[in-house]
Amino acid sequence: MTGLRCGKVALSGGIMLIALSLTAGTSLAQTCSCCTASPQLSFTTGTPQIGGGGCGTTKDSGGAILRRLDCGGLYFGGAGVGVPLPAVVPDLGQSILNITACSASTGALTLGATTPADSGSNRNCSAGGVSNPEYPGKNGCLFGPPLPIPNASSPATSSCVVNRVAQNATGSGNCTNGSSSVNLPLLSDIYLTGDLVSNVPGIQPCPVCLNGTCNGGPRSGLPCTPADSASLGAAYPTSHDCPPPPTLFIGSLSIPFSLSTGPQTKTSVDLPAQQFVFCGYCATQVTGTFQNPPRPCTSDANCSAASGFPTCRQRTGGAFGQAARTITETGSPAGVCLGDGAAHNATEVSVFCVPPSFNATADAAGDLPGPGAVALPGQTRFLP
């Protein structure tokens, strides 16, 4: 009799626990939902944390840390890069994605591209093929403000980069914790500018917007609105209101850009022609001249001897000035429900390959082709 009563109590307790669990699950679904009529997901870059080394590492073959990678820093090139790294990534750069599918029960999101009609501007949308009046003939939503890459070691090789979306963004995420993974191929337009504004201290590879007026470039003296913060350094603030001189454009780099709030790692390999290869491209065997257009490869077998470019290699082995074996960038999701519509801190990262520009000056300074890496601290926000 006593055993039967205990059994009833246990059964009753189990039913109660199940009921509580179901109630909690229902409550979570009801209180954390991004499934509204026309939902969107926004990410805006925040203040770079240069010098902190808090977002990633490069390591040697034994696992020892060679370099700590800064949040808000852009790294590129092999062991022979001649540009001081990192380049500072502009803050206040917003990108908006459509939520094309949403699970109210799990919070899972399917993400897609926005057009200017969806986002309100060609400067924060995420679709390819979009017309840009600021850059005639160069289509694709603009990704962030103009990016200056000053080279104090060789000011004449300083450059200004304008990033455009090459193909419609696609991805996935989750409303309950703010995680996301987005495929966002870019075209990086390179302008070999040197110092455009000689009457301002420091190096300004991109025109700057000072006191509401463009300094440098074809719109010098005309009104502008800063797109990022002057506190980022002498090369800022930049603005698409102040484009670089079109005559200094040297080419567009196709970047297989994929952003994630999780970790991304790339490991180099040793090939017959070169050690520590992160990003191989087919090249000639003796001079290391790269095939044009660039042909990515992972081994010599991917390259054609008949074409005259039989060797798989990057310009110089390694990454970011060292003989690195691995590159790791570590992102972080918001860690909270995004359904409240508030801005929440998050970090999105990408490790990628940068092809040659086929401009001798730019490729020598940037040690291209080679790897690239970036960590973007910022804020993510659900837009109902």
Side-chain angles (χ1 to χ4, degrees):
M1 188 72 173
T2 303
L4 181 59
R5 286 176 180 170
C6 288
K8 286 183 177 179
V9 171
L11 180 61
S12 175
I15 292 172
M16 184 178 294
L17 288 174
I18 292 171
L20 287 172
S21 176
L22 289 173
T23 301
T26 302
S27 175
L28 177 63
Q30 290 174 344
T31 59
C32 184
S33 176
C34 294
C35 305
T36 60
S38 54
Q40 295 178 327
L41 189 65
S42 167
F43 182 81
T44 303
T45 55
T47 303
Q49 299 154 26
I50 303 302
C55 277
T57 60
T58 59
K59 294 182 179 180
D60 65 15
S61 297
I65 294 175
L66 297 174
R67 184 170 198 159
R68 296 188 183 276
L69 305 180
D70 292 335
C71 306
L74 170 66
Y75 298 83
F76 52 84
V81 63
V83 179
L85 297 177
V88 179
V89 177
D91 60 354
L92 307 180
Q94 184 187 39
S95 294
I96 298 176
L97 297 162
N98 278 329
I99 298 175
T100 59
C102 179
S103 170
S105 60
T106 66
L109 308 174
T110 301
L111 305 174
T114 54
T115 65
D118 300 320
S119 67
S121 172
N122 66 315
R123 301 183 186 186
N124 61 6
C125 57
S126 49
V130 170
S131 176
N132 295 310
E134 307 92 335
Y135 307 96
K138 293 180 172 60
N139 295 337
C141 293
L142 299 173
F143 182 73
L147 168 64
I149 303 182
N151 186 355
S153 302
S154 175
T157 63
S158 300
S159 60
C160 181
V161 180
V162 175
N163 289 306
R164 298 178 284 125
V165 177
Q167 300 174 28
N168 286 0
T170 59
S172 61
N174 197 288
C175 181
T176 62
N177 64 3
S179 61
S180 64
S181 178
V182 179
N183 185 40
L184 189 68
L186 297 178
L187 284 169
S188 295
D189 298 331
I190 310 299
Y191 296 81
L192 190 60
T193 53
D195 185 5
L196 286 177
V197 191
S198 59
N199 62 332
V200 174
I203 301 172
Q204 291 78 38
C206 300
V208 286
C209 179
L210 300 176
N211 301 315
T213 303
C214 290
N215 287 252
R219 297 194 74 251
S220 187
L222 297 177
C224 60
T225 300
D228 41 41
S229 301
S231 59
L232 299 182
Y236 290 92
T238 65
S239 171
H240 288 300
D241 293 341
C242 310
T247 55
L248 300 181
F249 172 72
I250 63 171
S252 301
L253 304 182
S254 180
I255 307 296
F257 203 56
S258 179
L259 284 166
S260 172
T261 54
Q264 289 197 23
T265 296
K266 187 177 282 291
T267 302
S268 65
V269 296
D270 295 335
L271 297 179
Q274 190 179 63
Q275 292 183 312
F276 303 106
V277 178
F278 286 96
C279 298
Y281 291 85
C282 296
T284 58
Q285 192 162 12
V286 178
T287 62
T289 301
F290 292 93
Q291 188 171 357
N292 190 1
R295 183 175 180 177
C297 57
T298 56
S299 71
D300 290 353
N302 302 135
C303 302
S304 169
S307 69
F309 300 90
T311 303
C312 185
R313 57 173 296 160
Q314 56 187 58
R315 183 181 177 94
T316 307
F320 319 148
Q322 295 164 315
R325 181 60 71 192
T326 62
I327 304 167
T328 299
E329 291 275 25
T330 304
S332 58
V336 296
C337 173
L338 300 183
D340 60 3
H344 297 283
N345 291 336
T347 300
E348 297 186 347
V349 301
S350 184
V351 181
F352 49 91
C353 290
V354 185
S357 70
F358 299 102
N359 177 280
T361 301
D363 287 347
D367 199 21
L368 303 177
V374 70
L376 304 176
Q379 293 190 317
T380 186
R381 183 175 185 177
F382 168 62
L383 304 177

